[in-house]
Amino acid sequence: MSTPAGFPMLDLPYSTPPEALIGPRVRLRLWRKADWDSLAQMLADPDVMEHLMPVNGRAESDAVAQRIERHFAAYGFGLWAMEVPGVSPFIGYTGLVHVPYAAAFTPAVEIGWRIQKAHWGHGYVSEAARLALADAFTRFDLKEVVALTVPANTRSQAVMHRLGMTRDPAEDFDSPLVPSGHRLKRHVLYRLTRAAFEAQPASSQHP
């Protein structure tokens, strides 16, 4: 289907999201207004944003939170707030969204994540991403999920590999959301089919 915004979208039925997705350590939940302060701090961290287009100030950060909430309200899935009980009520976000532009691989649903630098290196993103993927493949008739990043973002690509995603360099592309000539223009595309995800051994589901 094609949205009023002008980009192609998968025609998925609406499904009310669960209150939370709970893993061994990570809890994914719907957003609270109290999360917006932590989101703004995370998006102002130059290390977190090294491979991303900048979010300039609190107004733009709040706009990100509003888009996340609108996506959940419209489609029943989105970017979940991540918490680690006993560690922090908010460490970032992980989840799935419609790719918001036309490209050779769209319409498609993308998995993405952002995490506070203080919580890097603990496997939280991999655990959270598996929770989000299992929910999406269960509640929706998705055949595939994609992931996108820039070639230099080897940290995110390592997560994609751990999730069982694969890349064909022939599918690398220029993001229409990034200005021409910008260092972040070129993107790589990773794919994960539902069949491949479900075929992974149980041992791979843990960080």
Side-chain angles (χ1 to χ4, degrees):
M1 65 181 288
S2 181
T3 68
F7 60 85
M9 267 195 333
L10 293 173
D11 189 7
L12 302 176
Y14 180 86
S15 174
T16 301
E19 181 179 338
L21 307 175
I22 300 173
R25 300 175 301 162
V26 173
R27 184 173 185 265
L28 301 184
R29 56 167 175 78
L30 299 177
W31 287 66
R32 307 169 185 146
K33 193 62 181 289
D35 299 326
W36 291 26
D37 289 341
S38 298
L39 175 67
Q41 293 170 8
M42 181 177 71
L43 298 183
D45 184 333
D47 290 328
V48 172
M49 301 299 291
E50 179 183 5
H51 303 297
L52 304 164
M53 295 298 289
V55 174
N56 297 310
R58 182 58 186 261
E60 289 192 14
S61 175
D62 286 354
V64 170
Q66 290 166 353
R67 287 196 297 272
I68 290 171
E69 293 190 337
R70 286 197 300 267
H71 197 284
F72 266 112
Y75 310 117
F77 67 95
L79 297 168
W80 302 87
M82 297 170 57
E83 68 174 69
V84 180
V87 176
S88 175
F90 180 92
I91 66 166
Y93 59 75
T94 303
L96 286 84
V97 296
H98 289 282
V99 176
Y101 50 80
F105 61 91
T106 63
V109 169
E110 168 195 3
I111 187 165
W113 47 78
R114 304 284 180 270
I115 185 171
Q116 295 169 345
K117 187 177 181 182
H119 301 289
W120 289 5
H122 298 285
Y124 292 141
V125 168
S126 297
E127 180 181 328
R130 291 189 181 102
L131 288 173
L133 287 165
D135 172 65
F137 284 137
T138 300
R139 284 198 296 131
F140 300 94
D141 191 26
L142 287 176
K143 302 299 189 295
E144 180 183 69
V145 168
V146 303
L148 316 169
T149 191
V150 298
N153 191 353
T154 55
R155 183 181 295 272
S156 273
Q157 290 183 61
V159 174
M160 295 169 195
H161 283 290
R162 285 196 291 272
L163 295 175
M165 307 189 88
T166 58
R167 172 194 173 198
D168 179 352
E171 292 189 305
D172 292 359
F173 69 103
D174 290 340
S175 172
L177 301 182
V178 180
S180 297
H182 195 283
R183 67 179 180 85
L184 301 178
K185 183 70 172 176
R186 196 66 174 166
H187 274 54
V188 298
L189 170 70
Y190 280 75
R191 297 179 182 267
L192 178 65
T193 65
R194 181 174 62 195
F197 179 75
E198 293 175 345
Q200 292 177 19
S203 60
S204 73
Q205 302 300 311
H206 301 285

